[in-house]
């Protein structure tokens, strides 16, 4: 088993960062997370953010950058990430109005290729983060997920796989990790179950139905660089949830290396 970095997707702490961004980052570092993946920067200038991360010993893994922001000013987004020392820039979501037809998807694939080419030119790694709809929507005979990576170049569009959504959509996350080995630098380590209505309920690690040890082993074999903990909605206070999840990672992965 390889040693992979353990990060946190800060969307999990969106309310906490909205109230106190810097104090929240400090708590994340204290819990033992090695890096963070941003979902907004709280209005903090890049140089100031870089100084804070250096002080806390936290690595800037990268960020989820909304499609509208990528389209509006790609260079601005790249520059912020370069300044804070981040390597990865991920498109996190496609709104329903932007994916109504197969042609919408094909146009998006072209845009992702262009954005990824520009990012690569500047030393960044660009990619896409999935939800469930990429496995239920199709382009031709393929799922959107597979069509996207068939239509784009590995050197420009990498995979950030959210195993929770892969499994919720009815697919085997281990099989998908293996399929995209070598193109999968970031993996969202998440757990879930379904509520009485069949909706997703994200949970702390080990509290749901995802085979997390198998996911970690497969990610190690696939060349993944970072395992990124995320919980969309927490039943406990979010800081408690990320502490509980980190303790599971320590006991079931880091301490086993």
């Amino acid at each position: 088993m390889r040693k992979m970095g353990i990060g946190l997707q800060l969307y999990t702490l969106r309310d906490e960062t909205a109230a106190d961004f810097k104090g929240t980052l400090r708590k994340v570092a204290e819990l033992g997370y090695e890096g963070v993946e941003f979902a907004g920067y709280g209005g903090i200038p890049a140089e100031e953010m870089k100084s804070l991360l250096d002080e806390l010993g936290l690595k800037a893994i990268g960020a989820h950058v909304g499609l509208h922001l990528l389209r509006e000013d790609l260079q601005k987004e790249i520059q912020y990430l370069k300044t804070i020392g981040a390597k990865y820039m991920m498109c996190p979501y496609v709104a329903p109005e932007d994916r109504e037809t197969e042609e919408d998807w094909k146009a998006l694939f072209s845009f992702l290729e262009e954005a990824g080419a520009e990012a690569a030119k500047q030393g960044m790694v660009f990619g896409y983060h999935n939800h469930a709809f990429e496995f239920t929507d199709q382009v031709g005979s393929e799922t959107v997920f597979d069509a996207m990576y068939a239509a784009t170049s590995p050197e420009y569009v990498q995979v950030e796989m959210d195993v929770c959504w892969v499994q919720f959509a009815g697919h085997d996350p281990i099989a998908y990790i293996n399929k995209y080995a070598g193109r999968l630098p970031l993996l969202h380590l998440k757990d879930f179950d379904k509520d009485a209505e069949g909706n997703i309920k994200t949970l702390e690690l080990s509290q749901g139905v995802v085979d997390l040890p198998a996911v970690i082993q497969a990610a190690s074999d696939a060349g993944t660089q970072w395992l990124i903990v995320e919980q969309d909605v927490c039943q406990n206070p979010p800081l408690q949830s990320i502490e509980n999840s980190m303790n599971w990672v320590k006991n079931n992965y880091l301490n086993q290396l």
Side-chain angles (χ1 to χ4, degrees):
M1 183 90 73
R2 290 170 41 251
K3 168 67 176 74
M4 295 171 279
I6 305 298
L8 178 73
Q9 167 48 253
L10 288 171
Y11 179 75
T12 310
L13 301 178
R14 53 198 177 277
D15 294 337
E16 288 73 15
T17 53
D20 180 5
F21 207 110
K22 295 179 180 179
T24 300
L25 281 181
R26 195 171 301 279
K27 291 174 183 175
V28 170
E30 289 169 357
L31 291 175
Y33 285 91
E34 299 166 58
V36 289
E37 183 179 40
F38 289 89
Y41 308 110
I44 299 173
E47 294 287 358
E48 190 177 331
M49 186 72 82
K50 176 70 165 66
S51 297
L52 177 62
L53 293 169
D54 288 347
E55 175 197 334
L56 299 177
L58 275 176
K59 294 180 181 176
I61 301 167
H64 279 188
V65 181
L67 185 56
H68 64 293
L69 297 174
L70 296 171
R71 285 172 166 160
E72 284 171 13
D73 195 340
L74 180 63
Q75 185 55 44
K76 176 184 175 183
E77 301 302 331
I78 291 173
Q79 191 56 52
Y80 191 102
L81 288 166
K82 288 176 66 176
T83 300
I84 64 173
K87 182 177 180 180
Y88 299 99
M89 179 167 65
M90 297 289 152
C91 177
Y93 182 70
V94 182
E97 61 269 21
D98 291 325
R99 51 180 166 93
E100 293 178 347
T101 67
E102 287 191 14
E103 293 310 312
D104 288 343
W105 277 117
K106 290 176 181 177
L108 178 67
F109 299 163
S110 295
F111 173 75
L112 296 177
E113 180 85 355
E114 292 169 12
E118 184 57 40
K121 192 187 302 182
Q122 300 190 46
M124 301 286 298
V125 176
F126 182 74
Y128 181 86
H129 164 272
N130 66 280
H131 288 77
F133 57 80
E134 296 88 352
F135 294 91
T136 54
D137 291 1
Q138 288 195 298
V139 174
S141 61
E142 291 185 298
T143 65
V144 163
F145 190 93
D146 290 319
M148 176 183 295
Y149 295 113
T152 55
S153 310
E155 60 266 37
Y156 296 151
V157 183
Q158 293 271 295
V159 181
E160 180 176 48
M161 191 178 298
D162 188 312
V163 295
C164 175
W165 286 115
V166 174
Q167 187 164 331
F168 179 76
H171 293 268
D172 178 3
I174 305 302
Y176 262 91
I177 290 169
N178 294 339
K179 182 174 183 178
Y180 288 95
R183 196 176 179 175
L184 178 59
L186 307 182
L187 184 137
H188 273 204
L189 197 62
K190 281 169 73 170
D191 210 347
F192 81 99
D193 208 338
K194 294 180 181 179
D195 64 19
E197 288 76 42
N199 299 312
I200 196 166
K201 180 180 179 182
T202 54
L203 299 169
E204 294 166 11
L205 296 181
S206 81
Q207 300 303 303
V209 298
V210 177
D211 186 348
L212 295 169
V215 164
I216 292 171
Q217 182 63 62
S220 173
D221 295 341
T224 298
Q225 297 301 306
W226 285 92
L227 301 174
I228 300 173
V229 174
E230 182 184 35
Q231 191 172 344
D232 298 1
V233 178
C234 301
Q235 281 67 53
N236 291 320
L239 283 165
Q240 182 64 55
S241 287
I242 69 162
E243 181 176 2
N244 292 345
S245 288
M246 186 62 187
N247 286 337
W248 184 89
V249 171
K250 289 175 181 175
N251 292 330
N252 294 276
Y253 171 54
L254 296 177
N255 293 347
Q256 311 296 322
L257 293 172

